């Protein structure tokens, strides 16, 4: 074969490759064509046409623009179903994508992290394949990136891995991922911090040990900050859900959340008429999750005065559990006005709330309970009026 023939072969390859790239670029950038890869049926047709191995070749090419387009296309294909994601994995995409996590081009990193997220989200097996490409702890550096969307996509990738199993969450904890995500949440605002908030909730939901790992890394105070300073209801709802997942395990977990002063904020969000339905539901659920485990009475007492009946019964229930075993708490409950407030509550006979009130009253001498009951001062005055002096 002559030198000219050899050059012609390479020229033909380059021309065909360029044409393929241009077609993918057109598909990715023209609004009328974007639906092609966003539609599962059409994505399957792209896969059936044999495009995935070619896209994997493209992400190995030196041109940054080509890498970006190919990674974006692989992301769009992977997102629809486990089967489509598996096709991308079978073509060897994960290893090549993982190698580009630290590429200096921010736009490429966005697409690479997105593609890995779309693969990992579908199943435990796919998430484990992504982890096996040794993305930890490398991916954590992306949480400090100057580009906000690199941060967001890195958080999303970690979230999609953490949600599957306690083992995968523990791997992230061991790599320093929880602390890194908490730092990331603190360094950004709005939707950029949303996947990180959700990731903390998923980790905490798996077990009390993993929830404690979030607490130790100062996750609860950061989530409380998100709850109070974010303006979008869906972000507040995610923070409320995550706090509920942390606080629902044991009294120690509940106390850690209560100490952040998140409970009054959750109550106000639940009761606010302008809160979205989802925010109200998640706030209510978080309050119940935390209250049912909380034995830290200073955090509970304000709820005696401000809570609606469906929350109040849980608060009174916790007092009924703690007071029989804590003499100091019993004394404080009297001097703070808590016992008086309980006597003022109106409960249906035989109801759970009435049972809780009876349990609390049984912690005190009968005359103390009578003294703080409504109308007792009037009874005393009547006795004064009717009393005959002994002189």
């Amino acid at each position: 074969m002559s030198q000219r023939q050899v050059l012609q072969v390479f020229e033909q390859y380059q021309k065909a490759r360029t044409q393929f790239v241009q077609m993918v670029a057109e598909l990715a950038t023209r609004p009328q064509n974007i639906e092609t890869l966003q539609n599962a049926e059409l994505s399957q047709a792209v896969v059936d046409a044999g495009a995935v191995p070619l896209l994997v070749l493209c992400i190995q090419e030196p041109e940054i623009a080509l890498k970006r387009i190919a990674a974006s296309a692989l992301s769009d294909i992977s997102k629809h179903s486990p089967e489509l994601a598996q096709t991308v994995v079978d073509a060897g995409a994960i290893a090549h994508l993982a190698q580009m996590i630290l590429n200096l081009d921010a736009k490429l990193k966005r697409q690479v992290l997105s593609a890995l997220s779309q693969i990992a989200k579908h199943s435990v097996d796919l998430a484990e394949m992504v982890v096996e490409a040794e993305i930890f702890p490398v991916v954590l550096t992306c949480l400090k990136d100057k580009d906000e969307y690199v941060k967001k996509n890195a958080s999303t990738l970690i979230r999609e891995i953490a949600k599957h199993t306690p083992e995968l969450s523990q791997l992230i904890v061991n790599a320093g991922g929880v602390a890194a995500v908490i730092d990331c949440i603190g360094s950004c605002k709005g939707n950029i911090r949303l996947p990180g908030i959700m990731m903390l909730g998923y980790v905490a939901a798996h077990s009390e040990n993993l929830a404690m790992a979030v607490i130790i890394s100062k996750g609860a105070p950061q989530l409380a900050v998100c709850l109070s300073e974010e303006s979008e209801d869906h972000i507040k709802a995610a923070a409320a859900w995550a706090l509920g997942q942390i606080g629902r395990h044991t009294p120690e977990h509940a106390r850690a959340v209560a100490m952040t002063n998140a409970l009054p904020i959750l109550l106000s969000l639940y009761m606010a008429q302008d809160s979205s339905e989802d925010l109200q539901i998640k706030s209510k659920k978080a309050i119940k999750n935390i209250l049912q485990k909380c034995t830290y009475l200073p955090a509970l007492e304000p709820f005696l005065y401000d809570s609606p009946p469906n929350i109040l019964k849980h608060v009174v229930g916790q007092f009924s559990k703690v007071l029989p075993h804590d003499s100091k708490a019993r004394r404080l409950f009297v001097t703070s006005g808590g016992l008086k407030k309980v006597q003022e509550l109106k409960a249906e006979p035989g109801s759970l709330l009435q049972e809780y009130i009876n349990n609390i009253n049984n912690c005190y001498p009968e005359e103390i309970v009578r003294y703080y009951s409504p109308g007792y001062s009037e009874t005393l005055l009547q006795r004064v009026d009717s009393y005959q002096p002994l002189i």
Side-chain angles (χ1 to χ4, degrees):
M1 184 180 285
S2 68
Q3 184 178 0
R4 180 178 175 80
Q5 288 174 313
V6 171
L7 289 173
Q8 280 180 334
V9 171
F10 279 106
E11 285 171 2
Q12 286 172 353
Y13 165 72
Q14 184 66 18
K15 185 176 179 180
R17 186 180 67 84
T18 303
Q19 185 179 13
F20 173 71
V21 173
Q22 287 171 343
M23 289 176 66
V24 173
E26 182 179 350
L27 182 68
T29 56
R30 286 194 180 183
Q32 65 267 35
N33 288 337
I34 286 175
E35 292 181 10
T36 302
L37 290 182
Q38 292 184 346
N39 178 291
E41 190 176 333
L42 293 173
S43 285
Q44 185 65 57
V46 171
V47 169
D48 293 342
V52 171
L54 296 174
L55 289 167
V56 174
L57 283 174
C58 287
I59 61 174
Q60 300 172 62
E61 293 291 342
E63 294 95 328
I64 292 294
L66 175 56
K67 287 178 182 285
R68 286 182 198 157
I69 294 162
S72 175
L74 290 170
S75 177
D76 281 336
I77 291 168
S78 299
K79 72 183 180 184
H80 295 293
S81 69
E83 292 75 24
L84 285 168
Q86 188 66 55
T87 302
V88 172
V89 172
D90 292 343
I94 289 178
H96 298 295
L97 289 166
Q99 288 171 6
M100 293 187 286
I101 287 175
L102 293 182
N103 194 285
L104 296 178
D105 184 77
K107 290 181 179 178
L108 175 58
K109 278 193 285 191
R110 291 181 194 175
Q111 301 301 340
V112 166
L113 293 165
S114 174
L116 290 170
S117 301
Q118 299 294 358
I119 293 168
K121 75 179 185 181
H122 292 293
S123 69
V124 176
D125 288 343
L126 288 169
E128 287 176 345
M129 288 180 187
V130 171
V131 169
E132 286 166 6
E134 299 182 352
I135 64 166
F136 291 104
V138 177
V139 73
L140 303 182
T141 61
C142 296
L143 296 171
K144 297 180 180 179
D145 201 276
K146 293 178 182 178
D147 186 277
E148 294 282 82
Y149 288 95
V150 169
K151 284 184 180 180
K152 182 181 180 183
N153 289 2
S155 296
T156 302
L157 172 56
I158 299 167
R159 178 194 72 192
E160 298 297 357
I161 293 168
K163 73 181 184 183
H164 289 294
T165 66
E167 291 75 22
L168 285 169
S169 281
Q170 188 65 57
L171 183 147
I172 292 167
V173 170
N174 295 346
V178 166
V181 167
I182 292 167
D183 288 343
C184 179
I185 292 170
S187 72
C188 55
K189 305 286 183 205
N191 280 313
I192 303 299
R193 67 187 358 174
L194 180 59
I197 291 170
M198 294 177 68
M199 176 267 183
L200 295 179
Y202 280 127
V203 171
H206 284 305
S207 72
E208 62 181 67
N209 288 338
L210 286 166
M212 187 54 67
V214 176
I215 290 170
I216 291 168
S217 296
K218 305 292 190 290
Q222 187 59 66
L223 288 169
V225 168
C226 296
L227 195 66
S228 60
E229 73 177 21
E230 283 296 334
S231 58
E232 296 289 334
D233 278 8
H234 68 283
I235 301 173
K236 290 182 180 181
W241 169 77
L243 285 165
Q245 297 307 311
I246 294 170
R248 71 181 178 85
H249 293 284
T250 70
E252 189 178 0
H253 291 77
R255 180 179 178 130
V257 175
M259 293 287 281
T260 68
N261 204 37
L263 281 168
I265 302 170
L266 287 167
L267 182 62
S268 65
L269 291 172
Y270 167 57
M271 297 180 69
Q273 292 185 345
D274 58 348
S275 290
S276 69
E277 184 181 359
D278 183 54
L279 176 54
Q280 289 178 331
I281 290 170
K282 286 189 168 62
S283 296
K284 177 184 175 183
K285 181 67 174 174
I287 291 168
K288 286 186 175 181
N289 280 346
I290 298 161
L291 289 182
Q292 286 171 349
K293 292 294 181 180
C294 188
T295 56
Y296 180 55
L297 300 188
L300 293 177
E301 197 151 324
F303 279 74
L304 285 173
Y305 303 92
D306 303 325
S307 300
N310 60 337
I311 300 293
L312 185 62
K313 67 179 180 183
H314 297 292
V315 179
V316 178
Q318 289 307 107
F319 278 106
S320 76
K321 293 174 186 175
V322 176
L323 292 175
H325 312 289
D326 191 333
S327 59
K328 185 179 179 182
R330 289 197 295 273
R331 180 182 177 85
L332 283 172
F333 195 61
V334 173
T335 57
S336 67
L339 183 61
K340 182 175 184 292
K341 178 62 181 176
V342 166
Q343 305 314 309
E344 295 168 358
L345 298 178
K346 292 180 174 59
E348 292 289 328
S351 66
L352 197 58
L353 178 57
Q354 186 62 59
E355 183 182 330
Y356 292 150
I357 293 171
N358 293 342
N359 289 343
I360 291 172
N361 289 344
N362 289 336
C363 295
Y364 296 94
E366 186 180 342
E367 59 268 26
I368 294 292
V369 175
R370 201 163 54 241
Y371 178 79
Y372 286 105
S373 297
Y376 185 66
S377 58
E378 283 297 318
T379 303
L380 287 178
L381 288 172
Q382 287 173 9
R383 288 179 63 185
V384 168
D385 291 341
S386 62
Y387 185 72
Q388 294 297 323
L390 296 175
I391 296 174

